[in-house]
Amino acid sequence: MRCFLMLLLMCALASPVVAADAQLPGKGVTVKPARATWNTGYFQEALVSEGLKELGYKVKRPKELQNPIFYQAVAFGDVDYWTNGWFPNHDGQLPPDFYKVATKLGYVAKAGGLQGYLVSKEFADKYNIKSLDDFKRPEVMKAFDANGDGKADLTACPPGWGCETVINHHFDVYDLDPYINQIKASYSASMADTIARHDAGQPVFFYTWAPNWTIFKLKPGEDVVWINVPKIMPKESQKAGEARMTMSGIEGAVSDPVKLGFVVSDIQVVANKKFLEENPAAAKFLEVFTLPLADINEQNTRMQNGEKSRKDIERHVKEWIEKNQVTWDGWLEQARQAAM
């Protein structure tokens, strides 16, 4: 009898520990995340880091890496994951035999990596603007000529950006140089001027990508519309993703489908396979984690407005979790179940 009572006592003492361990499957494991150099991806990384911490993992500060360097680092196991994979855009940046040691999983934002040209909805309607070719019409050139040089003005990409090379390609293959002037100054400053002109009731024409603060300030379908390129004529580097340069279901597009002229990417987590195998809770959380594009755009806008310190981003994470607590708790529960 005495032995039986001692056994019951030991079970009672052990059960809280078992329960605690079930809640913290990552206890004792240090995680090494990375993040991309563009700040529109910081929010996703911070949310995932918070989720892994709640699962008991010790999460290091993320290493900020250029794309090709990250893909080499995750293949070697120097970092464990990032939330900034853009596919198929990043396919050409992967080292040989990458998928033997690393993988992509889940969708941070399916078809979230948009790029293209947008025009004020009011003036697109007024002048029946559907594609870049419409900027060859004299009345459209005149309406969108902000600097008086006789050409329509396009807020484009600064020198050295990847989008600059694609836009230059478009100017060549669609013969746009005589009709459109590229503004290649600082993108943030140029877009601030673009938004000010829109708010003053003037027509605007600009390149952007998503996620991005620009399409939170100027909402597709309400303030602006995505327009077509005349026809799909990919650069050599785009040919593998040619099928994803025309997309259906894009909110605020002038047509469905719309020929964007840029490869539309899925934003995905990329992680080291060994790390995932050894950490099923982390693997499940990374798989189920996803964000509405509108939420990313909203947070990016707050950063653009000055809320960009680490403490600011941590506050944005806390506020997002509070607003989406049921979803968040569901992700954590799936992760804990995966570790059992």
Side-chain angles (χ1 to χ4, degrees), residues 214-286:
T214 56
I215 51 177
F216 183 79
K217 293 277 192 179
L218 298 178
K219 292 182 170 57
E222 297 178 24
D223 305 307
V224 293
V225 289
W226 298 95
I227 65 170
N228 292 277
V229 296
K231 61 180 179 178
I232 297 299
M233 299 177 68
K235 291 181 62 182
E236 188 63 35
S237 60
Q238 293 177 309
K239 286 184 178 178
E242 184 172 353
R244 294 179 64 98
M245 296 174 77
T246 301
M247 292 295 289
S248 296
I250 302 300
E251 185 177 359
V254 294
S255 61
D256 189 21
V258 59
K259 298 189 291 289
L260 292 166
F262 295 83
V263 177
V264 176
S265 284
D266 297 321
I267 303 174
Q268 297 181 268
V269 172
V270 181
N272 180 276
K273 282 185 176 181
K274 184 179 179 184
F275 166 76
L276 296 176
E277 289 165 2
E278 293 176 351
N279 296 280
K284 177 56 70 172
F285 188 84
L286 293 172

Side-chain angles (χ1 to χ4, degrees), residues 25-43:
K27 188 175 180 181
V29 178
T30 298
V31 177
K32 303 168 293 185
R35 72 180 184 188
T37 54
W38 60 87
N39 64 11
T40 54
Y42 289 3
F43 184 48

Side-chain angles (χ1 to χ4, degrees), residues 32-62:
K32 303 168 293 185
R35 72 180 184 188
T37 54
W38 60 87
N39 64 11
T40 54
Y42 289 3
F43 184 48
Q44 298 91 292
E45 180 279 319
L47 272 167
V48 166
S49 288
E50 179 59 29
L52 295 183
K53 288 174 185 175
E54 290 194 29
L55 292 169
Y57 292 95
K58 180 180 179 182
V59 183
K60 287 190 170 184
R61 283 204 176 191

Side-chain angles (χ1 to χ4, degrees), residues 291-338:
L291 283 175
L293 195 56
D295 290 4
I296 304 174
N297 292 337
E298 180 178 4
Q299 190 275 342
N300 289 173
T301 302
R302 295 176 71 177
M303 292 181 68
Q304 177 65 23
N305 291 341
E307 297 179 31
K308 56 187 178 183
S309 70
R310 187 172 183 85
K311 285 188 176 180
D312 288 331
I313 297 170
E314 288 172 353
R315 186 178 71 256
H316 300 163
V317 164
K318 182 180 179 181
E319 290 169 357
W320 189 92
I321 292 171
E322 288 174 353
K323 288 179 183 177
N324 299 273
Q325 194 70 57
V326 173
T327 298
W328 183 259
D329 290 345
W331 294 340
L332 293 174
E333 182 58 27
Q334 289 182 68
R336 290 174 181 130
Q337 289 293 327

Side-chain angles (χ1 to χ4, degrees), residues 69-81 98 101-102 270-272:
I69 297 173
F70 164 75
Y71 290 116
Q72 289 189 13
V74 77
F76 287 127
D78 296 335
V79 295
D80 295 321
Y81 71 90
F98 178 77
V101 291
V270 181
N272 180 276

Side-chain angles (χ1 to χ4, degrees), residues 94-308:
L94 305 180
D97 298 324
F98 178 77
Y99 288 113
K100 289 183 179 180
V101 291
T103 189
K104 53 192 178 187
L105 65 162
Y107 292 95
V108 177
K110 191 171 179 61
L114 291 173
Q115 298 181 73
Y117 302 100
L118 294 107
V119 175
S120 311
K121 185 178 188 304
E122 176 188 351
F123 291 91
D125 292 343
K126 179 178 179 179
Y127 293 104
N128 193 31
I129 298 171
K130 302 293 184 185
S131 88
L132 292 177
D133 262 352
D134 289 310
F135 284 88
K136 295 178 180 180
R137 291 191 272 129
E139 68 274 20
V140 177
M141 291 168 61
K142 182 177 180 180
F144 286 81
D145 180 11
N147 63 7
D149 67 353
K151 299 181 183 182
D153 290 310
L154 166 69
T155 302
C157 291
W161 285 23
C163 50
E164 184 209 17
T165 65
V166 179
I167 293 173
N168 288 342
H169 171 73
H170 290 166
F171 269 61
D172 290 340
V173 297
Y174 306 133
D175 187 30
L176 299 175
D177 269 318
Y179 311 100
I180 300 173
N181 170 54
Q182 290 190 58
I183 298 170
K184 295 188 177 187
S186 161
Y187 185 79
S188 292
S190 296
M191 277 306 304
D193 181 63
T194 298
I195 291 168
R197 284 190 282 114
H198 176 273
D199 291 347
Q202 300 172 26
V204 295
F205 174 31
F206 61 97
Y207 158 88
T208 200
W209 68 95
N212 199 310
W213 61 274
T214 56
I215 51 177
F216 183 79
K217 293 277 192 179
L218 298 178
K219 292 182 170 57
E222 297 178 24
D223 305 307
V224 293
V225 289
W226 298 95
I227 65 170
N228 292 277
V229 296
K231 61 180 179 178
I232 297 299
M233 299 177 68
K235 291 181 62 182
E236 188 63 35
S237 60
Q238 293 177 309
K239 286 184 178 178
E242 184 172 353
R244 294 179 64 98
M245 296 174 77
T246 301
M247 292 295 289
S248 296
I250 302 300
E251 185 177 359
V254 294
S255 61
D256 189 21
V258 59
K259 298 189 291 289
L260 292 166
F262 295 83
V263 177
V264 176
S265 284
D266 297 321
I267 303 174
Q268 297 181 268
V269 172
V270 181
N272 180 276
K273 282 185 176 181
K274 184 179 179 184
F275 166 76
L276 296 176
E277 289 165 2
E278 293 176 351
N279 296 280
K284 177 56 70 172
F285 188 84
L286 293 172
E287 178 190 342
V288 299
F289 172 76
T290 187
L291 283 175
L293 195 56
D295 290 4
I296 304 174
N297 292 337
E298 180 178 4
Q299 190 275 342
N300 289 173
T301 302
R302 295 176 71 177
M303 292 181 68
Q304 177 65 23
N305 291 341
E307 297 179 31
K308 56 187 178 183

